[in-house]
């Protein structure tokens, strides 16, 4: 487990073809990977798995991070929790939240791009593959989002979803 791993000023790191696995809830609710204040980090072909489900990737006050060909999953809470995380890219990745979670949760973030990725959060009513609040200029291109509510967007402007498939898989849910 890499807990409290990339704190300011952790910049220009590359993690490639690595496995992060651990039970974060057994560690007091820590995330497998935390990027706080760091920027320009690159993650390529990594596998992150957390059966405890407190969260997999937490990003706060981070810019210009790049995630490609990632396989990231948890059994419960958020997979990517992005708070004030700007100019980040997630591409060609598989993101799966668990029973009570959200695939990607963004708040107060701008200019992020998610492309060619599969984001799912199967399980309970109220789950969402994507949840966005107070965001601006976020782009989703050629993604597959599936959950009770595929995408929940509130108080946000300039959100582009193009060439993507949004699937509501539960009762009372909606695609958007």
């Amino acid at each position: 487990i890499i807990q409290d791993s990339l704190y300011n000023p952790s910049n220009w790191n590359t993690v490639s073809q690595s496995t992060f696995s651990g039970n974060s809830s057994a560690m007091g609710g820590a995330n497998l990977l935390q990027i706080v204040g760091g920027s320009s980090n690159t993650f390529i072909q990594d596998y992150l798995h957390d059966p405890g489900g407190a969260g997999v990737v937490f990003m706060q006050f981070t810019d210009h991070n790049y995630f490609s060909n990632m396989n990231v999953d948890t059994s419960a809470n958020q997979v990517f929790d992005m708070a004030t995380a700007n100019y980040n890219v997630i591409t060609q990745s598989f993101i799966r939240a668990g029973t009570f979670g959200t695939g990607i949760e963004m708040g107060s973030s701008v200019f992020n791009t998610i492309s060619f990725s599969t984001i799912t959060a199967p399980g309970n009513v109220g789950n969402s593959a994507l949840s966005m609040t107070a965001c601006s200029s976020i782009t989703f291109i050629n993604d597959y989002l599936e959950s009770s509510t595929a995408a929940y967007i509130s108080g946000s402007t300039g959100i582009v979803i193009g060439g993507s498939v949004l699937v509501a898989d539960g009762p009372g849910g909606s695609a958007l």
Side-chain angles (χ1 to χ4, degrees):
I1 224 171
I2 295 182
Q3 179 185 1
D4 301 338
S5 49
L6 297 177
Y7 271 85
N8 190 21
S10 290
N11 304 319
W12 302 102
N13 298 291
T14 298
V15 179
S16 180
Q17 298 178 342
S18 298
T19 298
F20 300 70
S21 184
N23 188 335
S24 63
S25 63
M27 295 191 64
N31 296 284
L32 280 181
L33 173 63
Q34 295 187 46
I35 306 171
V36 178
S39 68
S40 303
N41 297 293
T42 301
F43 298 85
I44 299 173
Q45 295 178 333
D46 296 315
Y47 173 66
L48 288 82
H49 173 70
D50 181 8
V56 180
V57 180
F58 175 76
M59 299 167 57
Q60 185 175 34
F61 306 114
T62 62
D63 300 323
H64 302 285
N65 295 292
Y66 180 78
F67 298 84
S68 177
N69 294 299
M70 302 289 290
N71 186 341
V72 189
D73 69 87
T74 182
S75 62
N77 292 335
Q78 290 77 12
V79 178
F80 274 85
D81 187 352
M82 303 169 70
T84 317
N86 308 313
Y87 301 97
N88 296 290
V89 173
I90 299 171
T91 188
Q92 299 175 354
S93 296
F94 178 78
I95 299 165
R96 182 184 184 278
T99 307
F100 304 105
T102 301
I104 296 176
E105 184 166 340
M106 272 189 231
S108 302
S109 297
V110 299
F111 297 109
N112 292 310
T113 301
I114 292 87
S115 63
F116 301 100
S117 295
T118 297
I119 307 162
T120 63
N124 295 327
V125 172
N127 281 15
S128 59
L130 166 69
S131 178
M132 224 184 307
T133 304
C135 293
S136 176
S137 303
I138 308 293
T139 303
F140 289 84
I141 300 294
N142 297 325
D143 295 303
Y144 177 86
L145 289 83
E146 180 180 352
S147 188
S148 173
T149 297
Y152 173 80
I153 301 171
S154 174
S156 299
T157 60
I159 307 305
V160 175
I161 299 175
S164 297
V165 175
L166 283 70
V167 177
D169 67 3
S174 62
L176 179 62

